[in-house]
Amino acid sequence: MHSFDTRPIGVFDSGLGGLTAVKELKNILPNETIVYFGDTGRVPYGTRSNDTIIKYVRQDIRFLLTHGVKAIVAACGTASSVALPQLNDEFGIPLIGVLNPVCQAAVKASKCKKIGVLGTTGTIQSGAYKKGICQIDQTFSVYEKACPMFVPLVENGYIESEATYIIAREYLAPLMEEKVDTIILGCTHYPLLTKVITDIVGDGVFIINAGYETAGYTKTMLSQQGLLTDSPHKGDCRYFVSDDAEKFSYLGGMFLEETIPAGVTKIDIEVF
Ligand code: DGL
């Protein structure tokens, strides 16, 4: 017999990027309630030390737990790579990161067994995607490239500007030299740069979107654990941030590709 669970799903990111996962979650699990926390006051995570990232992620999780969530999605490549391996058993509810779904999708997609990974400095330094892929299949070659300029460009709305193309060309050149046929967007901010990246690498390279893959994986995990809702009604999504709520509503619309309703709440994350 199936069991059900109407509690919300918690989702967090250092800022806006996790909304690319929320967009996909809303598509495939429309009746689930989502509580989103974007740590906009402390973004970016990717340039900080491991200790700081782990401290921040613990606080993000503690905050979401106050909303009675049934599972938490770390919709952030940096949090998933640097913090989740240490925190997995700490909170007594499923913590879902982007690594597993993304590595599985990349291994499936790559025919020439050469995969490129784009991520924040923290993510790339952790080597987590490389390890994840090699754990699935050791015969793959993985080429990683830190892209510290991408998050500020995206957070400031430089989505298809000339400056973005110039920087993206520089980041992508070493991966193209290695002739990868699959590129992992290892940071949930990067799907907004898909057009720029595809224009540079061409249609023949498969692009893996962490938000999309993680949403599908979340559905499977929740279903296996009897944690999906049986509500017949469309779920709502509540948004919390640690800095300016209005700016989040405005920019967040670009990530979600729909308007964020009024009522984004600013909280003090340092008390959690
Ligand atoms: N969206 C994030 C990630 O996936 C965060 C980027 C950052 O805060 O540096 O890595």
Side-chain angles (χ1 to χ4, degrees), residues 45-82:
Y45 283 9
T47 49
R48 298 181 195 274
S49 70
N50 287 4
D51 284 351
T52 303
I53 296 169
I54 292 167
K55 177 189 151 199
Y56 287 178
V57 170
R58 268 207 184 93
Q59 289 177 311
D60 302 343
I61 293 172
R62 284 193 206 114
F63 166 71
L64 289 171
L65 288 174
T66 65
H67 287 267
V69 295
K70 58 188 170 190
I72 291 179
V73 180
C76 172
T78 311
S80 303
S81 306
V82 176

Side-chain angles (χ1 to χ4, degrees), residues 13-15 17-18 43-47 75-79 120 123 151 186-189:
D13 177 47
S14 59
V43 69
Y45 283 9
T47 49
C76 172
T78 311
T120 65
T123 296
V151 168
C187 167
T188 49
H189 280 69

Side-chain angles (χ1 to χ4, degrees), residues 21 73-78 80-81 84 96-103 129 185-188 210-211 213-214:
V73 180
C76 172
T78 311
S80 303
S81 306
L84 248 47
I96 299 165
V98 303
L99 279 178
N100 284 342
V102 162
C103 292
Y129 281 104
L185 306 185
C187 167
T188 49
E213 301 301 338
T214 305

